[in-house]
């Protein structure tokens, strides 16, 4: 019965015995294709049929202009990769009598000019408004805060403002892209704070990857902010940065890549283990990836009752006979080493928080006994398409 339930989980729409992953078209790779069609029956159908034939799915279809001879339409299509986007455009271009007028990458268009802005809460319609909001009236507010520093939370933005701090050293699953390339991610996180919690947040992308300099910079800008969200800072520096900032500042410090990922991992695992009728204590859990996310997940799973955790990094199982590990990895070192393949051979649960493409077709027989796969697809899956 247990084996049957495990195999059922593996027979999902994105998982096949030949180890081919069927990635689902999604809005992150969406296009708007503007086409000119002969104003005849069946022309739009020929376009949608061609797009469907290569796996594209549809969003909105809008009529832009129509004459007796021609119809111009915008067709929104979802794909699963940049290459798939190109394939979709080419198959439309190959249709007779159909002209592709333009192609818009909807994700790039959404990001043009940035995604956030600062807006005033107060309208400056009269001279009196200006006199109160700025000088000379603002001087009274400054004096009040100087006399009672706690008033900064009542009289300024500090009460509801978070700094999203990164050095760009571990952007999503893409690696060390630097602070400028990290900015779109930090803008997106600021949007999440505002839209889902009503909290004002602002990206702080630092042009340094020196631990001491990052800590000093955050300490120096802390008077403005009510909290700090550390983001996309590589391991193991992220552990020290968070710990030292917590020791020296009197505002909340939260490293999202550690604790945010750990929280959702625990929630997913608690519910998933119910499906296969296993307890946290008896499950053998393999975590591939021993960076910030992997270590934080393992720590939280231990607190939740997990007793059998095997962690792997790019060199294999974290074991006590290795001499290349930092203190965080040593927390989870087991007596004997081995490869990721060795670890999977005895696993009930696989958690993937590493680089993409680490699991291969040749391991399929081992996979049949694993009850649960939890992979954090940021931005690419751990399963190889091949």
């Amino acid at each position: 019965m247990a084996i049957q339930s495990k195999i059922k989980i593996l027979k999902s729409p994105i998982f096949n015995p030949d180890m081919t992953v069927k990635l689902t078209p999604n809005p992150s790779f969406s296009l708007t294709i503007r086409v000119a069609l002969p104003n005849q029956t069946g022309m739009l159908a020929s376009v949608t049929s061609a797009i469907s034939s290569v796996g594209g799915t549809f969003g909105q279809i809008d009529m832009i202009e129509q004459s007796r001879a021609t119809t111009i339409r915008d067709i929104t299509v979802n794909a699963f990769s940049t290459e798939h986007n190109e394939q979709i455009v080419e198959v439309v271009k190959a249709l007779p009598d159909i002209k592709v007028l333009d192609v818009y990458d909807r994700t790039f268009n959404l990001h043009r000019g940035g995604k956030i802005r600062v807006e005033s809460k107060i309208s400056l319609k009269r001279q009196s408004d200006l006199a109160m909001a700025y000088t000379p009236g603002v001087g009274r507010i400054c004096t009040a805060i100087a006399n009672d520093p706690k008033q900064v939370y009542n009289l300024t933005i500090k009460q509801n403002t978070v700094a999203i701090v990164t050095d760009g050293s571990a952007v999503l699953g893409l690696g060390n892209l630097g602070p400028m390339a990290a900015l779109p991610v930090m803008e997106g996180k600021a949007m999440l704070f505002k839209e889902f919690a009503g909290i004002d947040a602002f990206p702080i992308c630092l042009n340094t990857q020196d631990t001491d300099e990052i800590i000093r910079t955050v300490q120096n800008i802390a008077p403005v902010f009510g909290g700090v969200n550390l983001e996309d800072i590589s391991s193991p520096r992220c552990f020290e940065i968070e710990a030292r900032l917590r020791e020296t500042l009197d505002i909340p410090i939260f490293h999202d890549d550690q604790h945010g990922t750990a929280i959702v991992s625990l929630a997913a695992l608690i519910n998933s283990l119910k499906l296969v009728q296993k307890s946290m204590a008896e499950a053998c859990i393999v975590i591939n990836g021993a960076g910030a996310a992997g270590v934080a997940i393992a720590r939280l799973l231990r607190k939740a009752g997990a007793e059998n955790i095997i962690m792997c990094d790019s060199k294999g199982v974290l074991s006590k006979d290795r001499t290349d590990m930092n203190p965080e990895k040593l927390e989870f070192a087991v007596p004997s080493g081995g490869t990721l393949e060795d670890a999977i051979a005895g696993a009930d649960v696989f958690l993937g928080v590493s680089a993409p493409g680490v699991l291969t077709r040749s391991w399929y027989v081992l996979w049949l006994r694993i009850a649960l796969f939890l992979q954090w697809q940021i931005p690419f899956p751990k399963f190889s398409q091949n």
Side-chain angles (χ1 to χ4, degrees):
M1 182 66 182
I3 293 294
Q4 288 177 345
S5 67
K6 292 173 185 178
I7 293 176
K8 284 180 182 179
I9 290 174
L10 291 175
K11 288 181 178 178
S12 67
I14 63 166
F15 194 96
N16 297 299
D18 65 0
M19 296 306 297
T20 299
V21 179
K22 293 182 178 179
L23 299 179
T24 304
N26 61 84
S28 63
F29 290 101
S30 62
L31 298 172
T32 296
I33 306 173
R34 179 164 290 186
V35 293
L37 317 168
N39 194 5
Q40 301 171 12
T41 302
M43 289 294 101
L44 177 59
S46 68
V47 176
T48 57
S49 177
I51 293 171
S52 296
S53 72
V54 293
T57 61
F58 296 95
Q60 194 163 324
I61 299 178
D62 296 315
M63 181 183 290
I64 305 303
E65 184 180 322
Q66 189 174 39
S67 67
R68 291 187 64 184
T70 305
T71 300
I72 297 176
R73 292 184 183 270
D74 279 351
I75 302 174
T76 300
V77 184
N78 293 330
F80 56 73
S81 69
T82 301
E83 293 75 21
H84 192 207
N85 274 339
E86 295 170 356
Q87 183 183 16
I88 290 169
V89 173
E90 290 304 313
V91 78
V92 175
K93 286 181 176 179
L95 293 172
D97 302 321
I98 307 295
K99 185 176 181 181
V100 174
L101 302 179
D102 210 341
V103 178
Y104 309 93
D105 186 308
R106 298 178 68 231
T107 299
F108 271 83
N109 279 2
L110 182 145
H111 283 256
R112 294 193 195 283
K115 304 187 292 292
I116 61 174
R117 64 187 177 195
V118 176
E119 291 187 343
S120 174
K121 295 165 64 176
I122 308 297
S123 296
L124 300 178
K125 295 181 178 179
R126 302 175 182 84
Q127 190 277 334
S128 58
D129 296 330
L130 185 59
M132 289 186 290
Y134 196 53
T135 189
V138 73
R140 296 177 58 209
I141 307 304
C142 298
T143 302
I145 294 171
N147 292 334
D148 181 6
K150 291 183 180 179
Q151 289 299 314
V152 71
Y153 284 97
N154 297 324
L155 298 172
T156 73
I157 62 172
K158 184 178 177 73
Q159 64 169 305
N160 196 53
T161 304
V162 168
I164 305 173
V165 178
T166 187
D167 64 355
S169 58
V171 179
L172 303 177
L174 302 172
N176 188 353
L177 302 185
M180 287 190 289
L183 182 54
V185 180
M186 306 309 125
E187 286 185 9
K189 182 56 64 71
M191 291 177 65
L192 299 183
F193 271 106
K194 188 64 175 178
E195 293 295 322
F196 298 137
I199 294 172
D200 297 315
F202 198 80
I204 307 293
C205 301
L206 302 178
N207 193 25
T208 178
Q209 295 185 0
D210 178 82
T211 296
D212 291 333
E213 195 168 0
I214 292 170
I215 292 168
R216 283 194 302 271
T217 301
V218 175
Q219 290 168 339
N220 288 335
I221 66 173
V224 178
F225 299 99
V228 174
N229 185 128
L230 300 174
E231 190 84 21
D232 289 354
I233 299 174
S234 64
S235 174
R237 296 177 308 119
C238 59
F239 300 112
E240 180 183 357
I241 291 170
E242 183 187 43
R244 287 173 59 185
L245 287 173
R246 284 183 170 182
E247 289 174 1
T248 57
L249 295 176
D250 61 353
I251 58 176
I253 309 295
F254 180 85
H255 184 204
D256 181 52
D257 303 291
Q258 290 185 62
H259 312 301
T261 310
I263 290 165
V264 296
S265 298
L266 175 59
L269 193 53
I270 287 172
N271 288 316
S272 300
L273 286 171
K274 294 176 184 177
L275 297 177
V276 294
Q277 300 179 340
K278 278 186 176 287
S279 69
M280 190 75 70
E282 67 181 315
C284 177
I285 302 168
V286 171
I287 301 175
N288 190 53
V295 170
I297 290 170
R299 285 172 173 169
L300 190 58
L301 294 185
R302 269 188 178 174
K303 290 181 179 179
E307 298 177 1
N308 190 0
I309 297 174
I310 300 173
M311 292 193 70
C312 299
D313 61 10
S314 60
K315 297 180 180 178
V317 174
L318 305 188
S319 60
K320 294 179 180 178
D321 55 1
R322 285 176 52 177
T323 59
D324 60 340
M325 299 196 300
N326 58 48
E328 289 74 27
K329 290 184 179 182
L330 286 170
E331 284 184 46
F332 300 96
V334 295
S336 58
T339 64
L340 174 59
E341 185 175 1
D342 297 329
I344 286 178
D348 297 303
V349 177
F350 176 85
L351 275 145
V353 284
S354 69
V358 296
L359 304 180
T360 65
R361 180 188 309 212
S362 62
W363 298 0
Y364 176 64
V365 174
L366 299 178
W367 292 31
L368 288 177
R369 72 169 306 282
I370 296 181
L372 302 168
F373 282 86
L374 302 177
Q375 61 157 342
W376 301 122
Q377 184 171 321
I378 307 176
F380 304 117
K382 310 302 171 249
F383 303 111
S384 168
Q385 282 186 257
N386 300 315

